[in-house]
Structures are given as C-alpha cells and as structure tokens.
Amino acid sequence: MFSKLSVVVASALLTLAAAIPNTTPPVTTPTSPQCCASVVPASNRGAGIVAALLGLDISGLLVDVGLSCSPITVLGNNCGGTTVTCDAPDKEWGGLIAINCIPITL
C-alpha cells in the first residue's frame, strides 16, 4: 500500500513540475543571512529536483544553493543547520531553496 501511495505522490509531483515553466533564477550578490538545513552545489540532484518542483532551472548555475532555509533575523539565532549568506529568496520559493549561498564564519 505504501509503495502505491509513493508512486501516486511522485507522479503527481512530476506532473506538477512539468506544468510549471522553468525559469533560471538571477544570481545576485548575497545579502540575506539564512539558516539552511544543507548547502549543496546547484548541480546536486536533490537541489535540481526541488528547484524543478518550484519551476526553477538551476542546471547551468555554478553556485551553491541552500535547501530548507529560514532567514536569520536576530544576532545569535541558534541555527541548527548551516549559517550562510544567500541571494534573498523569493517568497514563492517558501524557504525550500536559496541561491548563491556563501558560508558565514562566526
């Protein structure tokens, strides 16, 4: 039963991803401090899947991207992930991905 459900969910997500036109996000100077669950190259398969579901084409980007990010608004915020500075992510990305992430060393 679980495998049937996962196939249905995967099919629905792929259909949704195919219906959303892919756009390449602009890469600008990082200005937004973020706490991300992980930071990977844009060429990472998982990052590509997340980006595709959001209608983004990051395949040609040569930068790191953050996954599952939230803005750091208070100095000393306890980030359980990786603290980085990224391009300010668009609201429609819902914190799922941030582009051009550079580590912050404290």
Side-chain angles (χ1 to χ4, degrees), residues 37-105:
S38 63
V39 177
V40 297
S43 60
N44 178 279
R45 179 177 164 90
I49 291 170
V50 171
L53 290 173
L54 296 170
L56 301 173
D57 178 14
I58 62 170
S59 60
L61 298 181
L62 299 175
V63 297
D64 287 339
V65 296
L67 301 175
S68 297
C69 300
S70 60
I72 297 174
T73 56
V74 178
L75 188 61
N77 186 3
N78 186 13
C79 175
T82 304
T83 306
V84 291
T85 301
C86 305
D87 288 352
D90 290 344
K91 290 180 184 177
E92 67 266 16
W93 299 349
L96 294 175
I97 196 167
I99 307 296
N100 196 19
C101 295
I102 299 172
I104 296 174
T105 52

Side-chain angles (χ1 to χ4, degrees), residues 5 8 34 36 70 100:
L5 178 61
V8 170
Q34 300 281 320
C36 299
S70 60
N100 196 19

